[in-house]
Amino acid sequence: MELLDHYLGNLVSITKFVLESVSVLCIILGLVKTLQMVWAGDRRTMNTPKFFNSIRLQFGLWLALALEFQLGADILSTTIAPTLESLSKLGLIAVIRTFLNYFLGKELESEIRMEIEQERQEHGP
């Protein structure tokens, strides 16, 4: 049984490392994609709230994805050796992720509604 426990601990450690690495990659990718969006943006509309919101939403979605992977890594580490610190960290990340996803969802809905309204105004009813 100790041998299985040892292998399970190693598997959890490796998987946790992979999940944390993917989380970091998501943030880096999000930064790169967001910078590409800024670079390719129309210079005339760059100072508008719509452009700023689309940039913020772009990066926010990547951050939310990174938090999902981080949450998975923390869940794994908590299953093997639950400490008060690891449980607190897990709870905090879950709360942050939940709030971030909730507000990103609301902003995406708002952004989609604004785009639909602009299309209606440009093309008529």
Side-chain angles (χ1 to χ4, degrees), residues 2-61:
E2 276 187 38
L3 185 62
L4 288 176
D5 204 30
H6 174 72
Y7 285 129
L8 181 62
N10 285 342
L11 179 63
V12 166
S13 294
I14 291 167
T15 307
K16 182 178 181 258
F17 175 77
V18 169
L19 287 170
E20 288 173 340
S21 299
V22 171
S23 177
V24 169
L25 287 174
C26 285
I27 293 172
I28 293 169
L29 254 170
L31 176 63
V32 168
K33 293 285 188 185
T34 303
L35 290 174
Q36 284 176 341
M37 196 173 169
V38 169
W39 185 259
D42 185 2
R43 301 291 180 234
R44 292 171 295 182
T45 62
M46 223 173 238
N47 291 326
T48 63
K50 181 180 180 195
F51 184 77
F52 176 75
N53 283 339
S54 63
I55 295 298
R56 199 167 51 84
L57 287 173
Q58 167 81 14
F59 191 59
L61 289 171

Side-chain angles (χ1 to χ4, degrees), residues 111-122:
E111 188 74 22
I112 290 169
R113 270 189 260 124
M114 279 181 19
E115 286 181 13
I116 290 172
E117 188 62 34
Q118 281 181 344
E119 285 180 21
R120 283 184 185 157
Q121 288 175 357
E122 291 173 3

Side-chain angles (χ1 to χ4, degrees), residues 53-79:
N53 283 339
S54 63
I55 295 298
R56 199 167 51 84
L57 287 173
Q58 167 81 14
F59 191 59
L61 289 171
W62 283 99
L63 288 178
L65 182 61
L67 276 173
E68 293 288 344
F69 285 107
Q70 190 64 46
L71 183 63
D74 288 336
I75 287 171
L76 275 179
S77 64
T78 302
T79 59

